[in-house]
Amino acid sequence: MAAAPLPPVAPSPAAEAAPLSEGARIINTFVAPSKTFTDLRRSAMWWAPWLLISVFSIAFLFTIGKQIGFEQASKYQIAHSARASQLPADQQERQVQFSVMIFRIITYGFPVLILFFTLVSTVVLWATFKLVFSAQTTFGQAYAIGMYAGLPGIIGAILGIISLFAGVNPEGFDSNNPVGTNLAYYLDPDTTNKFVRGMASSLDVLIIWTIVLIGIGFASTSKVKRSTAIIVVACWYLLWKLITSGLASLG
């Protein structure tokens, strides 16, 4: 008597990709971002990219202090600020010293600032996707998306460090725009309208990369279309640039 056929074997949970290590997540953020952001549905840990971004950011700021000097970097900012440059010499000097103090605080407190600014952007984006698109992304996942999406900034820090050690002109160093990854870097700050220069700075390769990554992140953790998610993030960023560039043009 013929044996009854065996029931079909249920497919192994290969559909569920193997869990990624933190190192694999970081690497995949650059080469296969969907894998990283999909894995956030399993675990929304974000400490690894935060530590990595913090280390490179602090290294860049310390390099500014060593190669340029916080005082010189402050003098450049004040010289290109319409209001500050009109102050008497003694008040300008006080502005410089105050700016140097801020530089030092930022250098040592940058990891905390990363946490704060990621929190602010996460609240805005998560609320938008949740309320407008009924996205399934949790707040923790959204926060992790912001952290991993910030990893391209490491490239900017590395390029900045290289340019500083390569002998950039200290008197022409703009700490707000230290690397030529955006259009504003190539515009003359003395002759270009501040609003135009501020908007030109939004055409930044690394920032665009980050925007795309955030969009992929929300698409990977919810049912929102990738193109829609990227457009939403880009619109929020452009609104931010319009506001900040407008305020800068008033100075």
Side-chain angles (χ1 to χ4, degrees):
M1 187 173 180
L6 294 175
V9 178
S12 72
E16 298 178 8
L20 299 178
S21 66
E22 289 301 314
R25 279 182 170 185
I26 289 171
I27 293 173
N28 281 326
T29 300
F30 293 96
V31 299
S34 293
K35 292 183 179 180
T36 293
F37 295 121
T38 300
D39 196 58
L40 294 182
R41 293 187 294 191
R42 176 188 63 84
S43 170
M45 293 182 65
W46 46 262
W47 60 268
W50 171 65
L51 285 175
L52 203 56
I53 295 169
S54 297
V55 168
F56 278 93
S57 298
I58 291 173
F60 173 59
L61 290 169
F62 267 110
T63 306
I64 291 177
K66 178 179 175 58
Q67 298 297 111
I68 303 295
F70 292 148
E71 184 169 346
Q72 175 56 44
S74 299
K75 287 180 178 178
Y76 178 91
Q77 296 302 327
I78 290 173
H80 291 84
S81 170
R83 292 180 180 177
S85 61
Q86 294 172 2
L87 294 174
D90 59 330
Q91 292 187 33
Q92 285 193 35
E93 181 59 29
R94 283 198 292 270
Q95 286 275 1
V96 168
Q97 296 309 314
F98 178 76
S99 180
V100 169
M101 180 185 69
I102 296 299
F103 257 115
R104 292 198 174 109
I105 292 174
I106 290 175
T107 299
Y108 292 105
F110 209 82
V112 177
L113 292 177
I114 293 171
L115 295 174
F116 174 74
F117 286 115
T118 303
L119 176 62
V120 173
S121 62
T122 298
V123 169
V124 173
L125 292 174
W126 179 76
T128 301
F129 282 104
K130 201 75 173 175
L131 297 175
V132 179
F133 301 97
S134 299
Q136 300 170 340
T137 307
T138 67
F139 186 82
Q141 291 168 351
Y143 194 81
I145 288 170
M147 281 295 180
Y148 279 97
L151 284 170
I154 291 174
I155 297 176
I158 294 172
L159 292 175
I161 291 171
I162 292 173
S163 67
L164 286 167
F165 278 109
V168 65
N169 177 19
E171 295 183 359
F173 179 76
D174 183 357
S175 59
N176 290 331
N177 195 3
V179 183
T181 56
N182 65 82
L183 180 59
Y185 181 87
Y186 304 97
L187 300 177
D188 188 340
D190 295 319
T191 59
T192 306
N193 179 275
K194 289 187 177 182
F195 178 81
V196 172
R197 193 163 183 261
M199 293 306 298
S201 69
S202 64
L203 298 175
D204 189 297
V205 174
L206 299 178
I207 291 176
I208 294 172
W209 189 353
T210 295
I211 289 172
V212 171
L213 286 177
I214 295 175
I216 293 174
F218 276 96
S220 299
T221 55
S222 67
K223 295 181 179 180
V224 180
K225 289 176 59 177
R226 180 177 293 188
S227 57
T228 301
I230 293 173
I231 290 172
V232 169
V233 179
C235 286
W236 269 116
Y237 177 71
L238 286 176
L239 177 61
W240 165 254
K241 289 301 295 183
L242 283 168
I243 294 172
T244 54
S245 299
L247 292 174
S249 67
L250 299 176

